[in-house]
Short mmCIF file of all heavy atoms in Angstrom, two decimals:
data_model
loop_
_atom_site.label_atom_id
_atom_site.label_comp_id
_atom_site.label_asym_id
_atom_site.label_seq_id
_atom_site.Cartn_x
_atom_site.Cartn_y
_atom_site.Cartn_z
N THR A 43 17.25 -0.89 4.91
CA THR A 43 17.25 -2.03 3.90
C THR A 43 16.46 -3.27 4.38
O THR A 43 16.03 -3.97 3.64
CB THR A 43 18.71 -2.43 3.57
OG1 THR A 43 19.41 -2.75 4.86
CG2 THR A 43 19.51 -1.27 2.92
N GLY A 44 16.40 -3.40 5.74
CA GLY A 44 15.61 -4.50 6.27
C GLY A 44 14.17 -4.45 6.01
O GLY A 44 13.39 -5.50 6.00
N CYS A 45 13.59 -3.28 5.78
CA CYS A 45 12.10 -3.16 5.47
C CYS A 45 11.88 -2.85 4.00
O CYS A 45 10.75 -2.76 3.59
CB CYS A 45 11.45 -2.19 6.44
SG CYS A 45 12.12 -0.58 6.48
N LEU A 46 12.94 -2.57 3.23
CA LEU A 46 12.73 -2.20 1.97
C LEU A 46 12.04 -3.23 1.03
O LEU A 46 11.24 -2.90 0.23
CB LEU A 46 14.17 -1.87 1.25
CG LEU A 46 14.16 -1.27 -0.09
CD1 LEU A 46 13.36 -0.04 -0.19
CD2 LEU A 46 15.58 -0.98 -0.59
N TRP A 47 12.35 -4.42 1.32
CA TRP A 47 11.66 -5.60 0.54
C TRP A 47 10.13 -5.49 0.69
O TRP A 47 9.42 -5.71 -0.25
CB TRP A 47 12.15 -7.00 0.85
CG TRP A 47 11.80 -7.34 2.26
CD1 TRP A 47 12.49 -7.20 3.49
CD2 TRP A 47 10.57 -8.03 2.57
NE1 TRP A 47 11.70 -7.59 4.49
CE2 TRP A 47 10.64 -8.19 4.08
CE3 TRP A 47 9.58 -8.53 1.92
CZ2 TRP A 47 9.62 -8.84 4.74
CZ3 TRP A 47 8.47 -9.17 2.66
CH2 TRP A 47 8.57 -9.33 3.98
N ALA A 48 9.66 -5.24 1.97
CA ALA A 48 8.22 -5.21 2.16
C ALA A 48 7.62 -3.97 1.41
O ALA A 48 6.48 -4.07 0.97
CB ALA A 48 7.98 -5.20 3.68
N ILE A 49 8.29 -2.88 1.50
CA ILE A 49 7.88 -1.64 0.81
C ILE A 49 7.69 -1.91 -0.69
O ILE A 49 6.75 -1.63 -1.34
CB ILE A 49 8.75 -0.36 1.11
CG1 ILE A 49 8.66 -0.09 2.58
CG2 ILE A 49 8.30 0.76 0.27
CD1 ILE A 49 9.82 0.89 3.03
N GLN A 50 8.77 -2.54 -1.26
CA GLN A 50 8.76 -2.88 -2.62
C GLN A 50 7.73 -3.79 -2.99
O GLN A 50 6.95 -3.63 -4.08
CB GLN A 50 10.09 -3.41 -3.12
CG GLN A 50 11.20 -2.50 -3.01
CD GLN A 50 12.57 -3.20 -3.27
OE1 GLN A 50 12.80 -4.46 -3.02
NE2 GLN A 50 13.58 -2.59 -3.67
N LEU A 51 7.44 -4.83 -2.18
CA LEU A 51 6.36 -5.77 -2.40
C LEU A 51 4.96 -5.08 -2.44
O LEU A 51 4.14 -5.31 -3.35
CB LEU A 51 6.39 -6.85 -1.41
CG LEU A 51 5.43 -8.02 -1.54
CD1 LEU A 51 5.52 -8.72 -2.90
CD2 LEU A 51 5.61 -9.02 -0.36
N SER A 52 4.76 -4.24 -1.43
CA SER A 52 3.53 -3.62 -1.35
C SER A 52 3.21 -2.67 -2.54
O SER A 52 2.16 -2.65 -3.12
CB SER A 52 3.43 -2.70 -0.06
OG SER A 52 2.20 -2.03 0.09
N LEU A 53 4.22 -1.96 -2.97
CA LEU A 53 4.06 -0.99 -4.17
C LEU A 53 3.88 -1.83 -5.37
O LEU A 53 3.14 -1.48 -6.26
CB LEU A 53 5.24 -0.17 -4.20
CG LEU A 53 5.39 0.96 -3.04
CD1 LEU A 53 6.67 1.69 -3.15
CD2 LEU A 53 4.14 1.92 -3.17
N SER A 54 4.60 -3.03 -5.50
CA SER A 54 4.50 -3.87 -6.71
C SER A 54 3.02 -4.48 -6.84
O SER A 54 2.54 -4.59 -7.88
CB SER A 54 5.61 -4.94 -6.60
OG SER A 54 6.89 -4.41 -6.70
N VAL A 55 2.60 -4.88 -5.65
CA VAL A 55 1.21 -5.41 -5.61
C VAL A 55 0.25 -4.45 -6.11
O VAL A 55 -0.76 -4.66 -6.93
CB VAL A 55 0.84 -5.98 -4.21
CG1 VAL A 55 -0.68 -6.25 -4.04
CG2 VAL A 55 1.65 -7.21 -3.91
N THR A 56 0.39 -3.19 -5.64
CA THR A 56 -0.49 -2.00 -6.14
C THR A 56 -0.43 -1.84 -7.64
O THR A 56 -1.42 -1.69 -8.25
CB THR A 56 -0.13 -0.76 -5.32
OG1 THR A 56 -0.32 -1.06 -3.92
CG2 THR A 56 -1.06 0.37 -5.77
N ILE A 57 0.82 -1.85 -8.14
CA ILE A 57 0.98 -1.67 -9.64
C ILE A 57 0.28 -2.83 -10.33
O ILE A 57 -0.46 -2.64 -11.27
CB ILE A 57 2.49 -1.68 -9.97
CG1 ILE A 57 3.15 -0.42 -9.47
CG2 ILE A 57 2.71 -1.89 -11.52
CD1 ILE A 57 4.73 -0.36 -9.48
N PHE A 58 0.41 -4.02 -9.78
CA PHE A 58 -0.07 -5.30 -10.54
C PHE A 58 -1.69 -5.14 -10.49
O PHE A 58 -2.35 -5.36 -11.46
CB PHE A 58 0.37 -6.55 -9.84
CG PHE A 58 -0.23 -7.74 -10.51
CD1 PHE A 58 0.11 -8.13 -11.78
CD2 PHE A 58 -1.14 -8.43 -9.77
CE1 PHE A 58 -0.44 -9.29 -12.42
CE2 PHE A 58 -1.77 -9.59 -10.44
CZ PHE A 58 -1.40 -10.02 -11.64
N ILE A 59 -2.24 -4.74 -9.30
CA ILE A 59 -3.68 -4.66 -9.16
C ILE A 59 -4.25 -3.58 -10.12
O ILE A 59 -5.33 -3.75 -10.73
CB ILE A 59 -4.04 -4.51 -7.68
CG1 ILE A 59 -3.82 -5.86 -6.96
CG2 ILE A 59 -5.53 -4.03 -7.58
CD1 ILE A 59 -4.03 -5.73 -5.48
N ASN A 60 -3.52 -2.48 -10.15
CA ASN A 60 -4.00 -1.37 -11.10
C ASN A 60 -3.96 -1.81 -12.50
O ASN A 60 -4.82 -1.52 -13.39
CB ASN A 60 -3.23 -0.17 -10.80
CG ASN A 60 -3.71 0.67 -9.76
OD1 ASN A 60 -4.68 1.39 -9.84
ND2 ASN A 60 -3.05 0.62 -8.57
N PHE A 61 -2.94 -2.68 -12.89
CA PHE A 61 -2.89 -3.19 -14.22
C PHE A 61 -4.06 -4.04 -14.49
O PHE A 61 -4.67 -3.96 -15.50
CB PHE A 61 -1.55 -3.98 -14.38
CG PHE A 61 -1.41 -4.63 -15.73
CD1 PHE A 61 -1.10 -3.88 -16.82
CD2 PHE A 61 -1.59 -5.97 -15.96
CE1 PHE A 61 -0.99 -4.48 -18.08
CE2 PHE A 61 -1.48 -6.56 -17.13
CZ PHE A 61 -1.15 -5.80 -18.19
N ILE A 62 -4.42 -4.85 -13.61
CA ILE A 62 -5.63 -5.78 -13.75
C ILE A 62 -6.87 -4.95 -13.90
O ILE A 62 -7.76 -5.24 -14.76
CB ILE A 62 -5.72 -6.73 -12.51
CG1 ILE A 62 -4.57 -7.67 -12.55
CG2 ILE A 62 -7.07 -7.49 -12.61
CD1 ILE A 62 -4.58 -8.61 -11.28
N TYR A 63 -6.98 -3.80 -13.16
CA TYR A 63 -8.17 -2.95 -13.20
C TYR A 63 -8.45 -2.46 -14.63
O TYR A 63 -9.47 -2.15 -15.07
CB TYR A 63 -8.07 -1.81 -12.24
CG TYR A 63 -8.25 -2.06 -10.82
CD1 TYR A 63 -7.83 -1.13 -9.83
CD2 TYR A 63 -9.00 -3.26 -10.38
CE1 TYR A 63 -7.98 -1.47 -8.50
CE2 TYR A 63 -9.14 -3.46 -9.04
CZ TYR A 63 -8.66 -2.60 -8.11
OH TYR A 63 -8.84 -2.83 -6.80
N ILE A 64 -7.37 -2.23 -15.37
CA ILE A 64 -7.45 -1.79 -16.75
C ILE A 64 -8.32 -2.68 -17.62
O ILE A 64 -9.11 -2.21 -18.42
CB ILE A 64 -6.08 -1.50 -17.38
CG1 ILE A 64 -5.34 -0.42 -16.69
CG2 ILE A 64 -6.18 -1.29 -18.95
CD1 ILE A 64 -3.88 -0.29 -17.14
#
Side-chain angles (χ1 to χ4, degrees):
T43 57
C45 54
L46 186 57
W47 69 270
I49 295 167
Q50 292 171 336
L51 181 61
S52 179
L53 293 170
S54 297
V55 165
T56 302
I57 291 170
F58 180 70
I59 288 173
N60 277 285
F61 178 74
I62 293 172
Y63 286 160
I64 292 171

